Amino acid sequence: MPEVAAGAAPELDAARAACRDALGVLVAARPDLLVVLGPAGERGCGSFPQGTPGSFRGFGVDLEVCLGHATGVVPERELPLSLAVGAWLLERVGWADAPVEGLGVGETLGPGRCTEVGRQIGGRAGRVALLVMGDGSACRSVKAPGYLDERAAPFDAEIARALGAADAAAVRALDTGLARELKVSGRAPWQVLAGAAETADLTGTLLYEEAPYGVGYLVATWS
């Protein structure tokens, strides 16, 4: 997000361009329901209705977002950071085509439960789209949040391969313990995606894969 990155914003121009391309796929899909999901701490924060606000005040930035269009209902809580970033992305493309909901996923949620949640989401409407947020490892360099771990790059490479191939089985098989050790925030949200897509026969495209600041960033589409 340029507003947060400030002077360092150009370093992630390619990542933002990939995100715009991915959002273009979502818009073109014309779903009946869009669910934005992402990591939300150890236990997760549950569901967030359309119109839920979010902010980036925690980064010292006076920037607020809204999940979809405002509904006039005052939600009980704000979006967690991952969903606030998702809402920011949707605002960039002027999303207004379908109802939007948010789901905060607990980062310790097991693969079986993630798959079950995904199946439930997939059955919510005739055409359901997901905007799935989450980082790869945070251990790709000595300056990374988790310092350098030699296991991180191979783990991220397998994530990139699985997401780029829309390989739901491989995503479900990601090592939960290793993901936790490598500070992979996206493991549970990706496995929810795999549950939602397990019978959909989708094709994947990997749009971006880098490790700025020692954190694995990936952008992919399944369609």
Side-chain angles (χ1 to χ4, degrees):
M1 296 180 59
E3 296 90 342
V4 175
E11 298 177 17
L12 291 178
D13 283 346
R16 279 188 290 274
C19 289
R20 285 194 297 271
D21 290 343
L23 267 293
V25 174
L26 275 184
V27 171
R30 301 183 65 83
D32 301 314
L33 171 67
L34 172 63
V35 179
V36 183
L37 60 94
E42 290 293 312
R43 297 184 179 181
C45 297
S47 60
F48 296 82
Q50 180 164 297
T52 301
S55 76
F56 297 90
R57 287 187 293 272
F59 293 94
V61 178
D62 186 18
L63 175 64
E64 296 183 350
V65 293
C66 182
L67 185 63
H69 62 75
T71 62
V73 177
V74 180
E76 297 178 358
R77 53 188 175 171
E78 286 195 346
L79 298 169
L81 177 61
S82 64
L83 301 191
V85 175
W88 180 85
L89 288 171
L90 291 175
E91 289 183 355
R92 304 283 76 72
V93 296
W95 182 271
D97 291 342
V100 182
E101 297 179 8
L103 178 64
V105 181
E107 294 179 45
T108 59
L109 201 66
R113 179 58 180 150
C114 288
T115 299
E116 181 182 342
V117 171
R119 289 171 182 157
Q120 292 170 352
I121 293 173
R124 291 279 311 281
R127 290 176 57 79
V128 179
L130 301 181
L131 174 57
V132 184
M133 311 300 297
D135 293 338
S137 71
C139 302
R140 293 283 295 274
S141 74
V142 294
K143 294 184 178 181
Y147 197 67
L148 176 64
D149 190 313
E150 298 296 340
R151 302 171 297 173
F155 192 86
D156 283 348
E158 171 55 18
I159 293 171
R161 188 208 64 78
L163 293 178
D167 189 341
V171 173
R172 288 196 298 271
L174 289 173
D175 188 318
T176 303
L178 181 56
R180 184 180 304 113
E181 292 175 13
L182 297 177
K183 303 185 183 300
V184 178
S185 70
R187 190 274 309 170
W190 296 330
Q191 289 181 330
V192 173
L193 165 66
E198 63 183 355
T199 62
D201 191 25
L202 302 177
T203 298
T205 302
L206 184 66
L207 302 174
Y208 179 85
E209 179 196 3
E210 295 291 344
Y213 319 119
V215 178
Y217 282 10
L218 306 99
V219 181
T221 59
W222 290 15
S223 60

